[in-house]
Amino acid sequence: MSKAVVVIDVQEAFFQNPSCLLHEKEQLVRNINALIEEARSKAIPVVFIQHTEYDYEQDEFYVDTPDWQLHRGLNRLDSDPVIRKTTRDSFHETELGSCLQQQGVRQLIFAGAQTDYCINATVRRAHELGYTDNILLKNGHSTVVNSTPSAPQIIEEHERAWEGLVSIKPLAEISL
């Protein structure tokens, strides 16, 4: 089965902006980079999703601002596709579906941010679109630290709620 890694919204705002810092952000990047390197060793494509705000200049993801940039610590190559999105769903009015279709991809391996927003929406939409054997990297997704309930509670609740939609596995258990 043809696979792709989809890294969602790992952007500088989550590492620099005190109002939206990610829970365990340094470990998150290490885990995502390990997944990326493993995928590259097997010639599996890696696609980056970048949340983009075009209208509201005060938004942390306003286009072309420092916080909007993909995180500088990611192992991203210039040849990796970067797909901009304006909603939580990475498929909604983006080229993601056609990018995956052109490569014959049938299985998605997700990582990124935020668990309770863009990861949640994209996991659900992928399943609706027929991508039904997907994987989410365990400890490869996160949400902001100033959440209520807490970030670990949000992550745990979503992982339970995703049963049947996506398999949650550590890198060692992901067959690439």
Side-chain angles (χ1 to χ4, degrees):
M1 175 182 303
S2 183
K3 305 170 185 183
V5 170
V6 179
V7 180
I8 301 171
D9 298 351
V10 181
Q11 292 169 252
E12 285 297 331
F14 289 126
F15 297 83
Q16 304 299 327
N17 187 329
S19 69
C20 57
L21 297 175
L22 287 176
H23 173 67
E24 298 187 2
K25 60 188 184 297
E26 289 84 12
Q27 186 62 50
L28 175 73
V29 172
R30 284 192 293 274
N31 294 344
I32 291 172
N33 281 338
L35 173 63
I36 290 169
E37 292 310 309
E38 183 67 19
R40 289 214 174 98
S41 76
K42 304 283 192 327
I44 293 170
V46 179
V47 178
F48 291 86
I49 307 298
Q50 187 173 31
H51 194 87
T52 304
E53 171 60 47
Y54 291 102
D55 298 323
Y56 182 61
E57 291 183 25
Q58 280 64 47
D59 191 277
E60 57 268 12
F61 299 112
Y62 187 72
V63 67
D64 294 330
T65 61
D67 279 355
W68 168 81
Q69 303 296 324
L70 291 172
H71 182 54
R72 63 181 161 265
L74 288 172
N75 290 341
R76 189 177 73 78
L77 301 177
D78 289 340
S79 58
D80 293 328
V82 177
I83 296 173
R84 293 180 182 184
K85 67 176 182 60
T86 58
T87 68
R88 295 176 183 174
D89 174 0
S90 298
F91 288 93
H92 182 73
E93 297 182 1
T94 72
E95 317 80 58
L96 180 58
S98 62
C99 175
L100 298 171
Q101 193 172 43
Q102 288 170 359
Q103 298 181 61
V105 172
R106 295 303 315 143
Q107 183 181 43
L108 306 175
I109 303 156
F110 295 110
Q114 282 179 255
T115 300
D116 43 338
Y117 291 98
C118 301
I119 297 290
N120 184 49
T122 302
V123 161
R124 291 175 182 284
R125 181 72 171 144
H127 194 268
E128 290 171 11
L129 291 171
Y131 296 94
T132 56
D133 191 26
N134 302 321
I135 298 169
L136 178 62
L137 178 64
K138 180 76 175 171
N139 298 316
H141 64 100
S142 188
T143 194
V144 296
V145 295
N146 59 353
S147 301
T148 303
S150 71
Q153 289 172 312
I154 289 170
I155 291 166
E156 183 181 327
E157 288 171 12
H158 278 78
E159 287 183 352
R160 272 197 315 271
W162 291 328
E163 187 174 338
L165 296 175
V166 66
S167 298
I168 300 158
K169 297 181 180 184
L171 183 57
E173 294 178 17
I174 298 175
S175 175
L176 292 173

